Amino acid sequence: MQDKIWLSSPHLSGKELFYIEDAFEKNWVTSIGENIDGFEQDLKECLNNTHEIVVLNSATSAIHLALVMLNVGKHDEVLTSTFSFVASANPITYCGATPIFIDSEKETWNMCPIALDEAIQDRISKGKKPKAMIVVHLYGMPAKMEEINEIAAKYDIPVIEDAAEALGSTYKNQACGTFGRFGILSFNGNKIITTSGGGALVCHTKEDKDKAVFLSTQARDNAPHYQHSHIGYNYRMSNITAGIGRGQMEVLPSRVEARRKMHEFYVELFSNINGVEVFSEPMSDYYSNHWLSAIIVDPAITGKNREELRMAFLDENIESRPLWKPMHLQPVFADAPYYGGKVAEELFDNGLCLPSGSNLSDNDRERIAYVIKDFFN
């Protein structure tokens, strides 16, 4: 059996060790230190110096903190994309609130503005105006933020922009993660850059940043003893983890370039295979980091389905994975309201994520191409 080809494995550069060793030498190994400050500054510059950054132990923590800062609580409702990883929805329940799931649109696979507007009108008619909305940039593809923000402004509903998969992506030349009241970034092991685990909250103001730091470090009041007037959380990133992030930020542009080249590889590979669509930007307004390359397989045309292709990859020790199963189909959210049609469900039924890592070799690509060509023959 040949070595396994992973869907999206961590890709370290070696530059990370300098910052980690510096943290050890200076004995700054907890939740304060130069690496935290430096990593936040690097991210701020990456987002064109327009926002403040708070690095945390996960993107899930960042979403939860954003909801807390928007005063989301028991019996509130929060709109969110149904077509996403569960981490986009779970923090809503941490607050005692109810997720309201919104279908995708076909161009970007992200939240459908039409279904969003219909959902808001219906919730208001029932006396439950949503307290916030969480919009996801799926697989690095920017959502239709201009239309979504217009709807959010019309109803005065704050936007949390889940850009966990979209660091390096832009919409109309503006960085993903900077469109909402708060933005979310992820540095999980499978993301475009990694700190092994970790995330960040993107804030508009220094005041918001200071509040987020306060809440993420157990909300300790300014006193010589331990005094607490607010509920806090243990969400701050460690200085060692931030050191990994600083090293990764040095290679972010090359990681984005490598992921985009993998997307181009698949576009070329499937160019002569009818019935397979490679997930791509709908127009020049969208610039995706192509964190994961994905395809839609039409069984009516190809005579084969995505699950058969997944198994063909598995037989060759190559990881691929179905697209996200919509949240409104998950048992844990069976009772949550849902608005839209069948777009997300059809994407799940027919879609497949393909190996997309920035560290894939020419030999890896040859093995991937062989499986695809042999399968579709």
Side-chain angles (χ1 to χ4, degrees):
M1 179 68 70
Q2 298 188 74
D3 290 343
K4 184 161 186 172
I5 296 176
W6 297 94
L7 188 72
S8 179
S9 64
H11 189 186
L12 299 177
S13 67
K15 299 176 184 291
E16 300 83 4
L17 287 173
F18 171 81
Y19 298 102
I20 296 170
E21 290 171 354
D22 183 68
F24 273 93
E25 288 175 4
K26 295 176 179 176
N27 204 33
W28 290 110
V29 296
T30 58
S31 58
I32 56 174
E34 293 178 2
N35 285 336
I36 290 177
D37 297 337
F39 189 27
E40 289 179 341
Q41 182 60 35
D42 291 343
L43 289 165
K44 182 176 180 177
E45 292 173 3
C46 180
L47 300 182
N48 298 318
N49 288 303
T50 56
H51 289 65
E52 300 291 335
I53 310 294
V54 182
V55 290
L56 303 166
N57 60 9
S58 72
T60 308
S61 299
I63 295 173
H64 183 213
L65 209 56
L67 291 167
V68 169
M69 293 178 68
L70 292 174
N71 298 312
V72 173
K74 289 183 179 180
H75 310 303
D76 286 332
E77 294 186 347
V78 178
L79 304 146
T80 190
S81 309
T82 191
F83 198 44
S84 179
F85 182 51
V86 72
S88 301
N90 274 342
I92 299 170
T93 68
Y94 303 165
C95 298
T98 299
I100 309 296
F101 293 115
I102 310 299
D103 198 9
S104 299
E105 38 80 12
K106 294 182 178 180
E107 287 188 313
T108 74
W109 298 2
N110 292 307
M111 183 182 283
C112 174
I114 297 172
L116 172 64
D117 197 290
E118 291 174 351
I120 295 171
Q121 291 186 43
D122 188 60
R123 301 320 292 177
I124 291 175
S125 74
K126 290 177 168 60
K128 292 291 293 184
K129 178 184 173 182
K131 195 71 172 286
M133 67 175 75
I134 300 172
V135 180
V136 182
H137 300 301
L138 198 74
Y139 303 127
M141 185 66 69
K144 295 185 174 182
M145 289 311 302
E146 187 172 47
E147 295 175 52
I148 290 170
N149 273 344
E150 286 177 358
I151 294 169
K154 180 170 69 172
Y155 296 103
D156 191 27
I157 299 175
V159 174
I160 298 170
E161 188 189 354
D162 185 349
E165 302 170 4
L167 181 61
S169 299
T170 62
Y171 173 69
K172 295 190 174 182
N173 297 314
Q174 181 176 335
C176 289
T178 64
F179 288 91
R181 176 70 171 78
F182 292 103
I184 311 297
L185 302 175
S186 174
F187 315 113
N188 194 31
N190 62 357
K191 294 301 188 292
I192 198 153
I193 63 168
T194 183
T195 58
S196 73
L201 182 68
V202 182
C203 304
H204 274 277
T205 66
K206 180 67 162 54
E207 181 182 9
D208 278 346
K209 173 175 179 172
D210 291 344
K211 183 177 180 180
V213 171
F214 171 72
L215 292 172
S216 68
T217 52
Q218 299 291 19
R220 180 183 173 184
D221 292 341
N222 185 19
H225 53 278
Y226 288 96
Q227 179 166 302
H228 306 273
S229 303
H230 304 271
I231 296 297
Y233 309 91
N234 187 18
Y235 283 172
R236 198 71 161 119
M237 181 179 284
S238 81
N239 196 50
I240 294 174
T241 303
I244 302 174
R246 293 186 76 183
Q248 287 275 278
M249 287 300 291
E250 293 187 22
V251 296
L252 175 61
S254 66
R255 298 296 188 258
V256 173
E257 181 182 5
R259 299 269 178 164
R260 287 178 59 81
K261 283 185 176 179
M262 280 305 300
H263 170 260
E264 293 170 5
F265 164 77
Y266 288 119
V267 169
E268 175 63 26
L269 191 58
F270 286 105
S271 61
N272 294 318
I273 300 176
N274 293 329
V276 177
E277 177 186 347
V278 180
F279 184 36
S280 302
E281 292 95 333
M283 62 181 70
S284 61
D285 286 344
Y286 300 82
Y287 180 89
S288 174
N289 63 15
H290 289 294
W291 168 60
L292 288 186
S293 291
I295 57 172
I296 297 296
V297 180
D298 187 339
I301 297 175
T302 63
K304 301 181 179 184
N305 61 49
R306 69 108 162 113
E307 187 59 16
E308 291 169 336
L309 177 57
R310 189 183 73 82
M311 296 305 297
F313 276 124
L314 191 61
D315 288 342
E316 297 298 325
N317 207 24
I318 298 172
E319 183 184 24
S320 61
R321 189 168 293 179
L323 303 186
W324 301 123
K325 182 176 181 178
M327 290 298 102
H328 72 277
L329 299 181
Q330 300 286 353
V332 70
F333 294 122
D335 296 329
Y338 168 72
Y339 292 85
K342 300 285 187 180
V343 175
E345 294 179 25
E346 291 172 358
L347 289 169
F348 170 63
D349 288 341
N350 298 307
L352 191 68
C353 293
L354 304 175
S356 307
S358 51
N359 52 0
L360 293 175
S361 66
D362 288 341
N363 182 64
D364 292 334
R365 281 182 280 274
E366 289 176 6
R367 288 174 58 193
I368 292 167
Y370 171 81
V371 171
I372 291 170
K373 291 176 181 178
D374 182 65
F375 179 79
F376 289 103
N377 195 19

